[in-house]
Amino acid sequence: AQKITQTQPGMFVQEKEAVTLDCTYDTSDPSYGLFWYKQPSSGEMIFLIYQGSYDQQNATEGRYSLNFQKARKSANLVISASQLGDSAMYFCAMREGISWGKLQFGAGTQVVVTP
Amino acid sequence: NAGVTQTPKFQVLKTGQSMTLQCAQDMNHEYMSWYRQDPGMGLRLIHYSVGAGITDQGEVPNGYNVSRSTTEDFPLRLLSAAPSQTSVYFCASSPSRANTEAFFGQGTRLTVV
């Protein structure tokens, strides 16, 4: 069963606007971690932000913030003030319980930032 | 800082050939994993290791072998390459602390003809 769902295969956003990328997850383990990675056209995987299941506050890293709604099992990424360099594929991923060596990924969302 | 190093970056194989994708990390991480990425899909876990001498299967292990004799190295072996194994392969490592991310290599683009 799919554990990470990203329902937006692609989206366009204008430069300087904010964009929200959706991610829902499925787990019965009370201990888990949620990650967002960026993959530009060059192919590397770039870590953006992390949210632990026990964290009380939403994670933020510069222009990236994670809207964590635990009861709804969603972990949406918000990119504020989009830049042309934000054009990339974005992946949501989850680690469950003690299996910290294993990540489960969603299918990704392709973001294109237009001038 | 080298981080996670994968070699080769590109490889073309003929069906039935075998080869090893190399992965090395210099961060003394306990956990190492191999993923494959196919078009339109996220990364899928092939095999992973929680420490030297310990490996386990992921979601798509068939056709691949791994071993982990040292903390630094985690090679992935394709036993008899098939066109279905055409993909981009990523190696990743992470420490055992809960709130840390996985660090990825640059990827290996493999084509099986």
Side-chain angles (χ1 to χ4, degrees), chain A residues 4-98:
Chain A
I4 298 287
T5 303
Q6 296 181 251
T7 57
Q8 307 152 307
M11 53 198 312
F12 288 90
V13 58
Q14 277 205 311
E15 206 175 1
K16 300 180 184 174
E17 289 187 348
V19 59
T20 298
L21 308 184
D22 295 339
C23 173
T24 57
Y25 59 92
D26 181 27
T27 181
S28 57
D29 198 312
S31 177
Y32 54 90
L34 297 157
F35 302 79
W36 278 91
Y37 282 85
K38 172 184 178 181
Q39 187 178 45
S41 58
S42 51
E44 70 267 34
M45 297 291 288
I46 301 169
F47 166 72
L48 295 178
I49 197 166
Y50 166 82
Q51 180 83 42
S53 59
Y54 296 116
D55 293 343
Q56 295 297 311
Q57 293 189 325
N58 287 343
T60 60
E61 290 284 351
R63 294 187 298 111
Y64 305 106
S65 60
L66 200 152
N67 184 0
F68 181 46
Q69 298 187 44
K70 195 170 182 177
R72 298 178 63 182
K73 294 188 175 179
S74 75
N76 298 340
L77 177 70
V78 180
I79 307 174
S80 63
S82 297
Q83 302 172 355
L84 295 178
D86 294 334
S87 294
M89 182 73 85
Y90 289 81
F91 292 101
C92 180
M94 177 175 66
R95 281 182 181 158
E96 292 180 287
I98 62 172

Side-chain angles (χ1 to χ4, degrees), chain B residues 22-59:
Chain B
Q22 301 291 344
C23 176
Q25 53 98 3
D26 62 358
M27 297 172 282
N28 203 32
H29 287 168
E30 295 90 339
Y31 295 124
M32 296 187 75
S33 311
W34 276 103
Y35 298 85
R36 61 177 288 172
Q37 183 179 22
D38 300 303
M41 303 181 72
L43 280 67
R44 292 184 292 167
L45 182 66
I46 304 171
H47 286 286
Y48 68 101
S49 168
V50 299
I54 307 170
T55 63
D56 204 347
Q57 296 181 351
E59 181 185 354

Side-chain angles (χ1 to χ4, degrees), chain B residues 30-108:
Chain B
E30 295 90 339
Y31 295 124
M32 296 187 75
S33 311
W34 276 103
Y35 298 85
R36 61 177 288 172
Q37 183 179 22
D38 300 303
M41 303 181 72
L43 280 67
R44 292 184 292 167
L45 182 66
I46 304 171
H47 286 286
Y48 68 101
S49 168
V50 299
I54 307 170
T55 63
D56 204 347
Q57 296 181 351
E59 181 185 354
V60 287
N62 293 341
Y64 307 95
N65 270 358
V66 292
S67 61
R68 185 134 178 239
S69 56
T70 67
T71 299
E72 295 77 21
D73 299 301
F74 191 44
L76 178 73
R77 296 182 192 83
L78 280 69
L79 308 172
S80 176
S84 61
Q85 293 178 304
T86 294
S87 188
V88 179
Y89 291 84
F90 286 96
C91 178
S93 75
S94 61
S96 58
R97 297 190 307 278
N99 62 343
T100 54
E101 72 271 26
F103 295 80
F104 284 82
Q106 293 295 304
T108 295

